[in-house]
Amino acid sequence: MQVLSVTPEIFPLIKTGGLADVTGALPAALAGLGVATRSLVPGYPVVMNALKKKKTVHHYPALQGGKAALHSAEIAGLDMLVLDAPHLFDRPGGPYGDVTGADWQDNWRRFAALGRVGADIAAGVVKDYRPDIVHAHDWQSAMTLAYMRYGEAADVPSVMTVHNLAFQGQFGASIFAGLGLPQQAMALDGVEYYGGVGFLKAGLQAAWAITTVSPTYAQEIRTPAFGMGLDGLINLRSPDLYGIVNGIDDDIWNPETDSHLAATYTSKSLKGRKANKRAIEERMTLDRDDGPIYCVVSRLTWQKGIDILSTIIDPVVASGARLAILGSGDAGLEGALLAAAARHRGRVGVVIGYDEGLSHLLQGGADGILIPSRFEPCGLTQLYGLRYGCVPIVARTGGLADTVIDANEAAVAAGVATGFQFAPEDAGAFHHAISRANALHAEPAVWAAIQKQGMKSDISWDRSAQKYAALYRMLLSKRDA
């Protein structure tokens, strides 16, 4: 089975969040199930620089305002198709905005081009290749399915995966003329969305199947509270809606072999974690003691509940815990955390930015990881925490609820607890969860049992890949019926 994955990010080439981890790891997991994946990605500078050997498989004399080419290559073990369009993608900054973080004003044009090329590939523009399934990820890839619907690939089954419904790709109606779609597409059952054009909405409307990255999130987005204005459409499409929880690449995230750690370890012997904890104390300038260190590895945003965290830092520190925080995001939240670090020298350490190696060290040495998200489609940091014996303390929402077993009295007694859940998502409930964690951390045997149970969790891509493969086969059967 041949699957075309259309994605704006893919690890290890370009990553701003968990989307890249998914699109980078899923192809290898599917390969063992007889599914061959080719990934179409934009030709950002970092991607073009990775193209050592390439074969040009198609030329575009004019694609959204300039010449473009489509290259085939293997990069980091991934079968890739790269859209080389310098006028759209050869820019400094991130994949969606300039070095200041401001969005590119022509993002609609950039990702419409990606969608157009994805649909062309589905229609057979690449010689000797036509995918059986097209799988689009998030709003940046969603127009692929709209172009397929109104073009020559309407008969090719498609999947739209929502990694975060909050990001939708909404643009004014004036861009429609530049999309190259028939006029009939500018309708309620097409790409029109509240008088403008909605890229994600268009993909949800056109997809043969819709997936989210956890079963709970699939149900949450059917409600006004989580549906972000799309719950009506999602409820209409509910027979075609599936929740498939993400996995992780357990070769990259492996405490037995991780070179980022000061010491490796296994679930049978957690001794190495102590050296990693000492390394965190040194790196984050924290006092050395035997109390718990709770880490945060996150975008520093309202969605991630970092404002909730900032309000309880003082009592958490007063309880004897220390905090090691890594992330970047809203300037106000960054400032609040840095102020807390200045207020509690030796008890709170903050690194603004992203450091892949430090993120591994934090998972390998901190006692727990704090994830107070207001909504979380899946979440990956709690999965890394489980893998590394870094006990997750999470809000009871989305994929967090699906992957962490709360350490209530019954679960602890049964030996199945893997972390701590709290609800509602407010300061009182969050602080109470940390207090519960502090109490059990004071019982080393109980805490070690929770760590080891988490490390036994099946969080690889194997089970999830089987569900995607089954979905693909179901769609092919539907096509052939």
Side-chain angles (χ1 to χ4, degrees), residues 313-321 344:
I313 288 178
D314 292 352
V316 168
V317 170
S319 74
H344 298 289

Side-chain angles (χ1 to χ4, degrees), residues 208 474-481:
W208 287 39
M474 183 275 289
L475 293 178
L476 290 176
S477 298
K478 183 177 179 181
R479 179 199 65 183
D480 298 335

Side-chain angles (χ1 to χ4, degrees), residues 58 60 63 115-126 129 144 147-148 153:
H58 192 71
Y60 286 90
L63 179 69
R116 166 64 77 183
V117 172
D120 289 346
I121 296 169
V125 76
V126 176
Y129 178 72
T144 302
Y147 283 118
M148 289 169 62

Side-chain angles (χ1 to χ4, degrees), residues 180-461:
L181 287 167
Q183 188 60 42
Q184 70 196 68
M186 191 58 178
L188 183 62
D189 67 347
V191 305
E192 187 274 334
Y193 185 53
Y194 290 103
V197 174
F199 277 33
L200 181 59
K201 186 264 185 180
L204 295 172
Q205 194 81 55
W208 287 39
I210 299 166
T211 71
T212 68
V213 288
S214 73
T216 293
Y217 191 61
Q219 296 307 309
E220 289 177 338
I221 62 174
R222 297 179 62 182
T223 69
F226 292 90
M228 307 291 176
L230 286 167
D231 47 291
L233 172 58
I234 291 166
N235 276 298
L236 286 173
R237 296 300 317 273
S238 61
D240 305 307
L241 176 64
Y242 304 85
I244 302 176
V245 72
N246 284 339
I248 66 171
D249 188 327
D250 54 7
D251 289 327
I252 294 172
W253 290 92
N254 184 351
E256 297 183 33
T257 59
D258 194 334
S259 62
H260 296 299
L261 301 182
T264 56
Y265 58 95
T266 71
S267 60
K268 294 180 179 179
S269 175
L270 301 175
K271 290 181 180 179
R273 297 195 95 258
K274 188 171 185 179
N276 296 324
K277 189 171 184 176
R278 298 306 175 218
I280 292 172
E281 291 167 344
E282 182 175 346
R283 178 77 181 271
M284 306 293 282
T285 321
L286 296 175
D287 296 339
R288 181 169 178 169
D289 63 47
D290 293 326
I293 293 178
Y294 298 120
C295 72
V296 175
V297 181
S298 177
R299 287 185 289 113
L300 306 180
T301 64
W302 178 89
Q303 180 212 325
K304 297 295 186 179
I306 302 304
D307 57 314
I308 302 172
L309 170 66
S310 69
T311 66
I312 64 168
I313 288 178
D314 292 352
V316 168
V317 170
S319 74
R322 291 160 293 163
L323 297 175
I325 301 170
L326 170 64
S328 62
D330 296 346
L333 294 175
E334 291 181 358
L337 296 176
L338 289 169
R343 197 164 63 244
H344 298 289
R345 296 189 185 279
R347 309 308 295 176
V348 178
V350 176
V351 172
I352 299 298
Y354 185 72
D355 183 318
E356 184 76 13
L358 180 56
S359 73
H360 283 243
L361 178 63
L362 290 174
Q363 297 280 15
D367 297 282
I369 181 165
L370 306 179
I371 311 175
S373 302
R374 285 185 167 88
F375 62 94
E376 194 64 71
C378 177
L380 291 174
T381 53
Q382 86 278 11
L383 301 182
Y384 302 146
L386 292 170
R387 181 85 164 104
Y388 279 58
C390 184
V391 177
I393 302 170
V394 305
R396 190 177 298 130
T397 186
L400 303 175
D402 289 329
T403 54
V404 176
I405 300 173
D406 182 68
N408 57 59
E409 188 174 347
V412 171
V416 298
T418 61
F420 300 83
Q421 295 186 6
F422 68 91
E425 295 80 34
D426 62 28
F430 187 23
H431 187 217
H432 179 62
I434 295 173
S435 298
R436 292 169 55 211
N438 286 344
L440 291 186
H441 183 268
E443 301 182 45
V446 175
W447 190 262
I450 294 172
Q451 290 178 294
K452 292 180 179 181
Q453 186 63 26
M455 294 179 76
K456 295 177 185 176
S457 301
D458 182 5
I459 53 178
S460 73
W461 269 107

Side-chain angles (χ1 to χ4, degrees), residues 9-15 20 41 46-47 50 75-76 78 80 82:
E9 302 179 28
I10 192 165
F11 184 84
L13 296 175
I14 182 76
K15 172 181 174 176
V41 298
V46 67
V47 176
I75 308 174
L78 296 163
M80 308 277 284
V82 177

